[in-house]
Amino acid sequence: MNASENGDGSERRELLRVLSERFGFKEFKPGQEDAIRRLLAGRSTAVVFPTGGGKSLCYQMPALLLPGLTLVVSPLIALMKDQIDALAARGIAARRLDSTLSLDDYRAVMDEVRSGRLRLLYVAPERFVNERFCEAIQRVRISLFAVDEAHCISEWGHNFRPDYLRLAQFAHSCRADRVLALTATATPQVLDDMCRFFDIEPQCAIRTGFYRPNLTMLATPVTDDGRVSENGTVPLGSGVDLPTEARSRDALFFEAMRSREPGPTIVYVTLQRTAETLAERLAAAGVPARPYHAGMEDAQREEVQNWFIGSDRAVVVATIAFGMGIDKRNVRYVYHYNPPKSLENYAQEIGRAGRDDRPSVCEMFFCVEDLNVLENFAYGDTPSLEAVEGLVRAIFANSADFDASEYELSSTHDIRFTVVRTLLTYLELAGHLQRGTPFYATYQFKPLRTSAEILTRFDAERGKFLADLFRQATRAKTWFHLDIDRASRTLGQPRDRLVRALDYLAEQGDLELRAAGVRHRFKVLDRPADLKAVACSLYEKALARERREIARLGQVAALVEHDGCQVSALGAHFGEPLPQPCGHCSWCLGGNRPARLPPRPRPEIDPAVLSQALSLRREHPTELGPARSLARLLCGVSSPYQIRVKLQKHSLFGTLSHVPFPVVLERVEKA
Ligand code: ADP
Ligand code: MG
């Protein structure tokens, strides 16, 4: 049932009035009105609109019209500054709580929340481990609990985050009047999960058409010629029979750049290094191209972004980090120089083309040699069973209340940081642990006045306290480091007083202060009898995640080889096949179809490399003991242990990066 058909005309006029007066838009975009009406009627709702489809309005407008607070949870709040500023410019009180906020700013925001003045509060999902915040927010009337990137709640999604399960629990416990779950990409299975976890009736899930008639969608199998492997050591596999129709990626890509009308272009690549080199090569060929990736300074990235937004022919060669926060309507081309990680990523990335509805081209170059590098991201996140068991034993060797740094756990147990966090969240969700408010273990400060100048302003007792405090800090160049717990014990003063004093001095302009070394408090709720079994089940979860990621890459390859309309096949993945072929994808346009990818190269493993690896393992029994660790080294996949002892600089690192990881792992296990 279409809400706009049965709703009365005056309600519709009223909504359009608010839309135009408060937001400056004449009409709703598809799905917006339906979602807003359902929410205003008190029903929890899910929306699946493509990126740029106008999801935010679905909570911004109810936020104005509902009595209580609208709480917006998004992992990308750093990118939402513009959105919040835009709301403020329209006189809509919105704020965000981010981790850089000082204590006073935090308090000021929470005062606005309590007074009822604030309409929207944006927070990151991590905020819900903060006890003080949770307690404060439980006392506030939440009219709408909006969860962005809600597909993260599903294990079937491409970006599962177990902390989203905690969010769903919180939505219940804070008794939010209604929930809005938003995402740009959800398969039917993922949408089911979103509805189930957030208590949304299936008929309140709104999907807008995913089909974009203005996009030409090309998928081109290519060979990888003349490229040196990413770590610069090994030329890639040869001796594979390639079908003659598979052509050189660079020849095709540069030809496309030359022959197509210039226009704003995003070129997606997998590695930062490729972003740099490809942008350089394009620039050398006279194309206005610049790289964009997570390894660049924030200011530099912002500059590239602004340059791109303001230009009608700029080319940005980017890793996936690019494009999330920007809304540029006239992107004419989106290339995938390397394949995307999943169809979900693909749909989002090509969704940045042609938002002005004018003809635009998306072309994916699919090269089987790229699969190792892409798969290694997934393999690198799986810890060894030994590492997981070490972590589990260490956690439960603690007393009932303990604190830990996820960074330390990561480097002590050789598990990537984000994976440590995931494993701990699983222990929490299984009822073994309870997480408490994080705190900072170290404070760093840079004096802006001499200590004499500072101290004269205080009475004798306070002056002595501050002088003692300063003496506890150790100096590193211009910054001083203070281990706050140790200082608190040594001085016999409560930790709180120390922190307050530093905050106060920072506020007075006496020093610049920053907190570092986040530690998390935990309570052991249920100490498992069989630690090995707990470790095995966590390890099994990690392996399952790995299998899902690898399968997702396989789906991208399957799309390229699909014998039928590819746009329809992509739509079908998201529950929306087209009624007839699109007429503007490789398959519909193409002469030789279906496209066939060449077989994956399976190069031989040089026995000499293996024996060198085994002798290196004897030198580093801890770092390289588990077969997975040694396989990682050979495949060029770094890990916390390797970084600690600089093994990623060793000549063996990445020697077998042209061999699929499971093949290397198996050989190492047998050796
Ligand atoms: P999403 O979150 O779905 O990617 P946004 O909410 O960021 O999309 O909106 C994308 C753009 O569309 C923004 O610039 C927004 O101001 C604009 N927009 C939203 N709703 C409308 C509308 N009804 N009419 C015109 N523009 C709109
Ligand atoms: Mg959005």
Side-chain angles (χ1 to χ4, degrees):
M1 183 167 53
N2 184 336
S4 61
E5 277 164 23
N6 76 328
D8 66 19
S10 71
E11 190 183 342
R12 170 142 227 271
R13 274 196 300 280
E14 177 58 16
L15 290 181
L16 284 170
R17 188 185 61 79
V18 178
L19 183 69
S20 109
E21 283 178 11
R22 303 305 295 272
F23 296 95
F25 301 137
K26 284 203 300 289
E27 287 165 66
F28 285 108
K29 289 193 177 211
Q32 287 180 330
E33 183 179 356
D34 196 1
I36 291 168
R37 280 176 178 249
R38 281 169 204 269
L39 290 166
L40 292 177
R43 307 174 78 175
S44 289
T45 302
V47 300
V48 187
F49 301 174
T51 310
K55 287 184 284 298
S56 331
L57 189 83
C58 300
Y59 55 77
Q60 289 173 344
M61 188 141 146
L64 276 184
L65 303 172
L66 293 169
L69 180 73
T70 290
L71 189 60
V72 183
V73 188
S74 170
L76 304 172
I77 55 164
L79 298 174
M80 292 192 161
K81 189 178 174 303
D82 294 344
Q83 189 178 122
I84 295 166
D85 292 347
L87 288 169
R90 296 182 180 283
I92 302 168
R95 297 282 225 124
R96 67 178 169 158
L97 287 182
D98 69 30
S99 54
T100 64
L101 230 52
S102 75
L103 195 60
D104 282 332
D105 289 338
Y106 172 83
R107 287 197 186 116
V109 171
M110 291 311 282
D111 279 345
E112 284 184 64
V113 169
R114 272 185 291 266
S115 73
R117 251 177 300 148
L118 205 64
R119 299 283 80 222
L120 295 111
L121 179 64
Y122 290 72
V123 299
E126 298 82 67
R127 185 58 63 178
F128 294 90
V129 301
N130 186 310
E131 291 148 19
R132 210 163 30 136
F133 171 77
C134 290
E135 219 172 88
I137 214 79
Q138 301 268 16
R139 284 194 294 260
V140 172
R141 171 154 184 206
I142 313 264
S143 284
L144 173 58
F145 191 89
V147 182
D148 208 0
E149 311 294 333
H151 59 271
C152 294
I153 200 155
S154 172
E155 284 196 76
W156 308 108
H158 61 297
N159 199 7
F160 174 51
R161 295 179 49 147
D163 56 342
Y164 263 61
L165 297 171
R166 193 191 300 120
L167 273 186
Q169 289 171 356
F170 189 81
H172 290 286
S173 69
C174 75
R175 290 186 301 277
D177 294 340
R178 49 180 88 54
V179 175
L180 171 63
L182 313 109
T183 182
T185 41
T187 60
Q189 204 175 12
V190 169
L191 186 56
D192 271 359
D193 274 357
M194 282 165 47
C195 290
R196 196 157 46 86
F197 285 113
F198 290 112
D199 273 340
I200 298 165
E201 299 166 66
Q203 64 271 27
C204 286
I206 304 168
R207 230 184 229 286
T208 57
F210 155 93
Y211 175 55
R212 306 265 308 278
N214 62 318
L215 300 189
T216 297
M217 200 178 104
L218 307 175
T220 312
V222 291
T223 58
D224 180 29
D225 48 345
R227 188 181 69 157
V228 196
S229 84
E230 289 307 330
N231 57 35
T233 51
V234 187
L236 282 170
S238 52
V240 179
D241 279 337
L242 294 171
T244 43
E245 64 271 23
R247 281 157 302 161
S248 143
R249 163 168 41 204
D250 282 352
L252 283 172
F253 174 64
F254 278 86
E255 175 54 27
M257 294 297 282
R258 250 193 310 276
S259 61
R260 290 180 182 148
E261 194 71 15
T265 302
I266 307 176
V267 182
Y268 284 108
V269 298
T270 306
L271 299 172
Q272 297 179 2
R273 214 179 105 136
T274 317
E276 297 276 349
T277 52
L278 192 58
E280 262 167 43
R281 291 172 57 204
L282 283 168
V287 177
R290 296 179 67 178
Y292 181 101
H293 57 74
M296 288 160 49
E297 299 280 324
D298 288 353
Q300 230 181 335
R301 278 212 307 265
E302 203 175 318
E303 205 228 306
V304 172
Q305 187 164 312
N306 291 335
W307 168 78
F308 182 69
I309 290 171
S311 165
D312 62 0
R313 54 179 50 211
V315 177
V316 169
V317 186
T319 58
I320 46 165
F322 188 73
M324 301 231 266
I326 66 167
D327 178 28
K328 184 172 172 69
R329 310 192 53 75
N330 62 341
V331 175
R332 288 279 77 85
Y333 306 98
V334 170
Y335 290 98
H336 281 85
Y337 184 84
N338 301 115
K341 291 197 322 193
S342 67
L343 293 180
E344 284 80 356
N345 286 79
Y346 183 55
Q348 293 212 357
E349 287 154 15
I350 65 175
R352 297 187 177 120
R355 295 216 185 137
D356 55 5
D357 295 330
R358 295 194 35 227
S360 306
V361 178
C362 303
E363 180 159 22
M364 180 208 314
F365 295 112
F366 196 104
C367 174
V368 288
E369 281 96 340
D370 286 352
L371 290 173
N372 286 343
V373 170
L374 281 159
E375 287 177 351
N376 284 349
F377 283 99
Y379 291 121
D381 271 352
T382 307
S384 64
L385 176 59
E386 292 88 334
V388 178
E389 193 175 340
L391 175 76
V392 168
R393 292 196 184 282
I395 291 291
F396 292 106
N398 283 301
S399 55
D401 287 286
F402 69 99
D403 60 75
S405 144
E406 287 170 341
Y407 279 106
E408 277 167 30
L409 292 173
S410 164
S411 60
T412 318
H413 298 287
D414 199 25
I415 304 175
R416 286 184 179 174
F417 174 73
T418 52
V419 180
V420 165
R421 171 161 282 187
T422 300
L423 296 177
L424 291 174
T425 308
Y426 278 128
L427 290 175
E428 223 185 311
L429 293 168
H432 295 302
L433 291 183
Q434 186 184 345
R435 197 185 269 263
T437 304
F439 62 96
Y440 293 106
T442 325
Y443 279 77
Q444 297 171 0
F445 60 85
K446 184 166 80 179
L448 301 175
R449 300 196 177 99
T450 67
S451 61
E453 279 171 327
I454 298 173
L455 297 176
T456 51
R457 300 207 315 274
F458 295 92
D459 64 30
E461 193 275 334
R462 289 216 177 91
K464 176 170 183 314
F465 165 67
L466 288 177
D468 289 345
L469 181 59
F470 290 158
R471 271 193 290 276
Q472 293 299 310
T474 51
R475 182 173 191 155
K477 290 197 189 127
T478 47
W479 288 81
F480 287 74
H481 295 245
L482 185 70
D483 177 335
I484 203 89
D485 280 325
R486 211 184 48 207
S488 152
R489 283 192 303 272
T490 317
L491 301 179
Q493 293 280 353
R495 185 178 189 285
D496 240 28
R497 183 178 184 200
L498 273 52
V499 176
R500 262 186 321 198
L502 291 171
D503 269 335
Y504 177 78
L505 294 176
E507 206 173 279
Q508 298 297 309
D510 293 324
L511 48 84
E512 200 180 321
L513 184 66
R514 57 187 192 205
V518 179
R519 296 185 73 82
H520 295 266
R521 289 180 229 276
F522 292 94
K523 197 186 271 302
V524 178
L525 297 180
D526 167 37
R527 211 174 281 275
D530 187 348
L531 294 175
K532 176 101 195 176
V534 170
C536 285
S537 94
L538 289 181
Y539 179 63
E540 196 38 61
K541 279 188 159 60
L543 285 179
R545 184 210 50 83
E546 177 185 286
R547 283 191 295 270
R548 285 194 301 268
E549 303 276 298
I550 301 297
R552 268 188 252 285
L553 255 170
Q555 292 173 335
V556 178
L559 181 72
V560 177
E561 293 192 301
H562 181 67
D563 192 9
C565 170
Q566 290 158 325
V567 170
S568 183
L570 183 62
H573 179 73
F574 297 108
E576 282 180 65
L578 296 184
Q580 68 252 339
C582 74
H584 48 80
C585 67
S586 296
W587 190 84
C588 286
L589 297 168
N592 90 57
R593 61 192 197 189
R596 283 274 161 251
L597 295 172
R600 288 201 46 192
R602 298 247 156 187
E604 285 302 302
I605 294 177
D606 182 355
V609 168
L610 209 60
S611 74
Q612 286 168 30
L614 294 174
S615 73
L616 184 65
R617 179 194 246 170
R618 284 188 287 277
E619 284 169 46
H620 296 281
T622 317
E623 287 80 10
L624 299 177
R628 258 186 185 271
S629 309
L630 195 56
R632 276 202 291 249
L633 175 95
L634 292 170
C635 290
V637 178
S638 72
S639 83
Y641 274 4
Q642 287 176 27
I643 292 167
R644 188 178 66 189
V645 293
K646 299 205 165 53
L647 276 172
Q648 88 280 24
K649 299 243 161 70
H650 193 277
S651 61
L652 277 177
F653 185 82
T655 347
L656 299 182
S657 64
H658 56 299
V659 186
F661 183 87
V663 176
V664 177
L665 180 62
E666 201 191 319
R667 282 295 295 277
V668 171
E669 274 167 350
K670 282 201 191 121

